[in-house]
Short mmCIF file of all heavy atoms in Angstrom, two decimals:
data_model
loop_
_atom_site.label_atom_id
_atom_site.label_comp_id
_atom_site.label_asym_id
_atom_site.label_seq_id
_atom_site.Cartn_x
_atom_site.Cartn_y
_atom_site.Cartn_z
N MET A 306 150.69 101.24 143.75
CA MET A 306 151.51 100.79 142.62
C MET A 306 152.25 101.98 142.00
O MET A 306 153.41 101.87 141.60
CB MET A 306 150.63 100.12 141.57
CG MET A 306 149.94 98.85 142.06
SD MET A 306 148.78 98.18 140.86
CE MET A 306 149.86 97.90 139.47
N ALA A 307 151.56 103.14 141.94
CA ALA A 307 152.20 104.33 141.38
C ALA A 307 153.35 104.80 142.27
O ALA A 307 154.40 105.23 141.77
CB ALA A 307 151.16 105.44 141.21
N VAL A 308 153.16 104.72 143.58
CA VAL A 308 154.23 105.11 144.50
C VAL A 308 155.43 104.18 144.34
O VAL A 308 156.59 104.60 144.33
CB VAL A 308 153.71 105.09 145.95
CG1 VAL A 308 154.86 105.29 146.94
CG2 VAL A 308 152.64 106.16 146.15
N TYR A 309 155.15 102.90 144.19
CA TYR A 309 156.23 101.92 144.00
C TYR A 309 157.00 102.20 142.72
O TYR A 309 158.21 102.00 142.65
CB TYR A 309 155.63 100.52 143.96
CG TYR A 309 156.65 99.43 143.70
CD1 TYR A 309 157.48 98.97 144.72
CD2 TYR A 309 156.77 98.89 142.42
CE1 TYR A 309 158.42 97.98 144.47
CE2 TYR A 309 157.71 97.90 142.16
CZ TYR A 309 158.53 97.44 143.20
OH TYR A 309 159.47 96.46 142.92
N ALA A 310 156.29 102.70 141.69
CA ALA A 310 156.94 103.01 140.42
C ALA A 310 157.53 104.41 140.40
O ALA A 310 157.94 104.90 139.34
CB ALA A 310 155.95 102.85 139.27
N HIS A 311 157.54 105.06 141.57
CA HIS A 311 158.06 106.43 141.69
C HIS A 311 157.29 107.40 140.78
O HIS A 311 157.87 108.31 140.20
CB HIS A 311 159.56 106.47 141.36
CG HIS A 311 160.37 105.53 142.20
ND1 HIS A 311 160.59 105.73 143.55
CD2 HIS A 311 161.02 104.37 141.86
CE1 HIS A 311 161.33 104.74 144.03
NE2 HIS A 311 161.61 103.89 143.02
N ALA A 312 155.98 107.14 140.67
CA ALA A 312 155.12 108.05 139.89
C ALA A 312 153.82 108.29 140.64
O ALA A 312 152.73 107.99 140.14
CB ALA A 312 154.86 107.47 138.51
N PRO A 313 153.91 108.81 141.89
CA PRO A 313 152.68 109.04 142.67
C PRO A 313 151.78 110.06 141.98
O PRO A 313 152.25 110.99 141.33
CB PRO A 313 153.21 109.55 144.01
CG PRO A 313 154.54 110.15 143.69
CD PRO A 313 155.12 109.31 142.59
N GLN A 314 150.45 109.84 142.13
CA GLN A 314 149.47 110.70 141.46
C GLN A 314 148.76 111.59 142.48
O GLN A 314 148.57 111.20 143.64
CB GLN A 314 148.45 109.86 140.70
CG GLN A 314 149.06 108.93 139.68
CD GLN A 314 149.81 109.66 138.60
OE1 GLN A 314 149.31 110.67 138.08
NE2 GLN A 314 151.00 109.18 138.23
N THR A 315 148.38 112.75 142.04
CA THR A 315 147.64 113.66 142.89
C THR A 315 146.18 113.21 143.01
O THR A 315 145.69 112.40 142.21
CB THR A 315 147.68 115.09 142.33
OG1 THR A 315 146.99 115.10 141.07
CG2 THR A 315 149.11 115.55 142.14
N THR A 316 145.51 113.76 144.02
CA THR A 316 144.08 113.44 144.19
C THR A 316 143.28 113.82 142.96
O THR A 316 142.36 113.10 142.54
CB THR A 316 143.53 114.19 145.42
OG1 THR A 316 144.27 113.79 146.57
CG2 THR A 316 142.06 113.90 145.62
N ILE A 317 143.63 114.94 142.33
CA ILE A 317 142.89 115.42 141.16
C ILE A 317 143.00 114.42 140.01
O ILE A 317 142.00 114.09 139.36
CB ILE A 317 143.41 116.81 140.74
CG1 ILE A 317 143.09 117.83 141.83
CG2 ILE A 317 142.79 117.23 139.42
CD1 ILE A 317 143.63 119.20 141.56
N VAL A 318 144.20 113.89 139.78
CA VAL A 318 144.39 112.94 138.69
C VAL A 318 143.66 111.64 138.96
O VAL A 318 143.01 111.05 138.08
CB VAL A 318 145.89 112.69 138.45
CG1 VAL A 318 146.09 111.57 137.44
CG2 VAL A 318 146.58 113.95 137.99
N LEU A 319 143.72 111.16 140.21
CA LEU A 319 143.03 109.92 140.56
C LEU A 319 141.52 110.07 140.42
O LEU A 319 140.84 109.16 139.91
CB LEU A 319 143.40 109.51 141.99
CG LEU A 319 144.85 109.05 142.21
CD1 LEU A 319 145.11 108.82 143.69
CD2 LEU A 319 145.14 107.79 141.40
N VAL A 320 141.00 111.20 140.85
CA VAL A 320 139.56 111.43 140.71
C VAL A 320 139.19 111.52 139.23
O VAL A 320 138.17 110.97 138.79
CB VAL A 320 139.15 112.72 141.45
CG1 VAL A 320 137.71 113.10 141.09
CG2 VAL A 320 139.26 112.52 142.95
N ALA A 321 140.01 112.19 138.45
CA ALA A 321 139.74 112.30 137.02
C ALA A 321 139.71 110.93 136.36
O ALA A 321 138.84 110.64 135.52
CB ALA A 321 140.78 113.19 136.36
N LEU A 322 140.66 110.06 136.73
CA LEU A 322 140.69 108.70 136.18
C LEU A 322 139.43 107.94 136.56
O LEU A 322 138.82 107.25 135.72
CB LEU A 322 141.93 107.96 136.68
CG LEU A 322 142.03 106.49 136.26
CD1 LEU A 322 142.14 106.38 134.75
CD2 LEU A 322 143.21 105.82 136.94
N MET A 323 139.03 108.05 137.84
CA MET A 323 137.84 107.34 138.30
C MET A 323 136.60 107.79 137.54
O MET A 323 135.80 106.98 137.07
CB MET A 323 137.66 107.57 139.79
CG MET A 323 136.43 106.88 140.38
SD MET A 323 136.11 107.46 142.05
CE MET A 323 135.72 109.18 141.73
N VAL A 324 136.43 109.11 137.41
CA VAL A 324 135.25 109.64 136.71
C VAL A 324 135.26 109.23 135.25
O VAL A 324 134.21 108.94 134.66
CB VAL A 324 135.19 111.18 136.85
CG1 VAL A 324 134.11 111.77 135.96
CG2 VAL A 324 134.96 111.56 138.30
N ALA A 325 136.45 109.17 134.66
CA ALA A 325 136.54 108.79 133.26
C ALA A 325 136.19 107.32 133.04
O ALA A 325 135.66 106.95 131.98
CB ALA A 325 137.94 109.08 132.73
N LEU A 326 136.48 106.46 134.01
CA LEU A 326 136.28 105.03 133.83
C LEU A 326 134.89 104.56 134.23
O LEU A 326 134.37 103.61 133.63
CB LEU A 326 137.34 104.26 134.63
CG LEU A 326 138.78 104.41 134.14
CD1 LEU A 326 139.72 103.57 134.99
CD2 LEU A 326 138.92 104.03 132.68
N ILE A 327 134.27 105.16 135.23
CA ILE A 327 132.94 104.70 135.64
C ILE A 327 131.92 105.13 134.59
O ILE A 327 132.13 106.09 133.84
CB ILE A 327 132.55 105.24 137.03
CG1 ILE A 327 132.41 106.76 137.02
CG2 ILE A 327 133.54 104.79 138.08
CD1 ILE A 327 131.93 107.34 138.35
N PRO A 328 130.77 104.41 134.49
CA PRO A 328 129.78 104.69 133.43
C PRO A 328 128.97 105.96 133.72
O PRO A 328 127.77 105.90 134.02
CB PRO A 328 128.91 103.45 133.42
CG PRO A 328 129.01 102.90 134.81
CD PRO A 328 130.39 103.22 135.28
N THR A 329 129.63 107.11 133.64
CA THR A 329 128.95 108.36 133.98
C THR A 329 127.87 108.73 132.96
O THR A 329 126.86 109.32 133.31
CB THR A 329 129.96 109.51 134.07
OG1 THR A 329 130.77 109.53 132.89
CG2 THR A 329 130.86 109.34 135.28
N THR A 330 128.09 108.39 131.69
CA THR A 330 127.13 108.82 130.66
C THR A 330 125.75 108.23 130.90
O THR A 330 124.75 108.94 130.97
CB THR A 330 127.63 108.45 129.26
OG1 THR A 330 128.94 108.98 129.08
CG2 THR A 330 126.71 109.00 128.19
N ILE A 331 125.67 106.90 131.02
CA ILE A 331 124.37 106.28 131.24
C ILE A 331 123.87 106.58 132.64
O ILE A 331 122.67 106.74 132.87
CB ILE A 331 124.43 104.75 131.00
CG1 ILE A 331 123.05 104.13 131.13
CG2 ILE A 331 125.42 104.09 131.94
CD1 ILE A 331 122.03 104.65 130.15
N GLY A 332 124.79 106.70 133.62
CA GLY A 332 124.37 107.07 134.97
C GLY A 332 123.71 108.43 135.00
O GLY A 332 122.76 108.66 135.75
N ALA A 333 124.20 109.34 134.17
CA ALA A 333 123.64 110.69 134.13
C ALA A 333 122.29 110.73 133.43
O ALA A 333 121.43 111.55 133.76
CB ALA A 333 124.61 111.63 133.42
N LEU A 334 122.08 109.83 132.45
CA LEU A 334 120.89 109.92 131.60
C LEU A 334 119.82 108.89 131.95
O LEU A 334 118.72 108.94 131.39
CB LEU A 334 121.29 109.74 130.13
CG LEU A 334 122.25 110.80 129.57
CD1 LEU A 334 122.68 110.42 128.16
CD2 LEU A 334 121.61 112.17 129.56
N LEU A 335 120.11 107.95 132.85
CA LEU A 335 119.19 106.84 133.10
C LEU A 335 117.83 107.32 133.57
O LEU A 335 116.79 106.89 133.06
CB LEU A 335 119.80 105.90 134.15
CG LEU A 335 118.99 104.65 134.47
CD1 LEU A 335 118.77 103.81 133.22
CD2 LEU A 335 119.70 103.83 135.54
N SER A 336 117.79 108.22 134.55
CA SER A 336 116.51 108.70 135.06
C SER A 336 115.74 109.45 133.99
O SER A 336 114.52 109.31 133.86
CB SER A 336 116.74 109.58 136.29
OG SER A 336 115.51 110.03 136.82
N ALA A 337 116.45 110.28 133.21
CA ALA A 337 115.78 111.05 132.15
C ALA A 337 115.15 110.14 131.11
O ALA A 337 114.07 110.42 130.59
CB ALA A 337 116.78 111.99 131.49
N ILE A 338 115.81 109.01 130.80
CA ILE A 338 115.27 108.07 129.81
C ILE A 338 113.93 107.52 130.30
O ILE A 338 112.96 107.44 129.54
CB ILE A 338 116.27 106.93 129.56
CG1 ILE A 338 117.52 107.46 128.87
CG2 ILE A 338 115.63 105.84 128.70
CD1 ILE A 338 118.65 106.45 128.79
N GLY A 339 113.86 107.13 131.59
CA GLY A 339 112.62 106.59 132.12
C GLY A 339 111.50 107.61 132.15
O GLY A 339 110.36 107.31 131.77
N ILE A 340 111.80 108.83 132.60
CA ILE A 340 110.78 109.89 132.64
C ILE A 340 110.30 110.21 131.23
O ILE A 340 109.10 110.37 130.98
CB ILE A 340 111.34 111.14 133.33
CG1 ILE A 340 111.67 110.85 134.79
CG2 ILE A 340 110.36 112.30 133.23
CD1 ILE A 340 112.38 111.97 135.50
#
């Protein structure tokens, strides 16, 4: 869609978006909470 809109994104930006959107906070702390 970005290419179609003439605004292609770099791998770094796409990875940054993915990391920002997935639930990293609870994913990072879930095991520590149980222990």
Side-chain angles (χ1 to χ4, degrees):
M306 297 174 59
V308 171
Y309 177 79
H311 304 290
Q314 303 298 316
T315 65
T316 301
I317 294 176
V318 173
L319 291 174
V320 169
L322 176 63
M323 180 191 65
V324 171
L326 293 182
I327 65 176
T329 51
T330 306
I331 184 61
L334 298 174
L335 183 59
S336 181
I338 293 171
I340 295 173

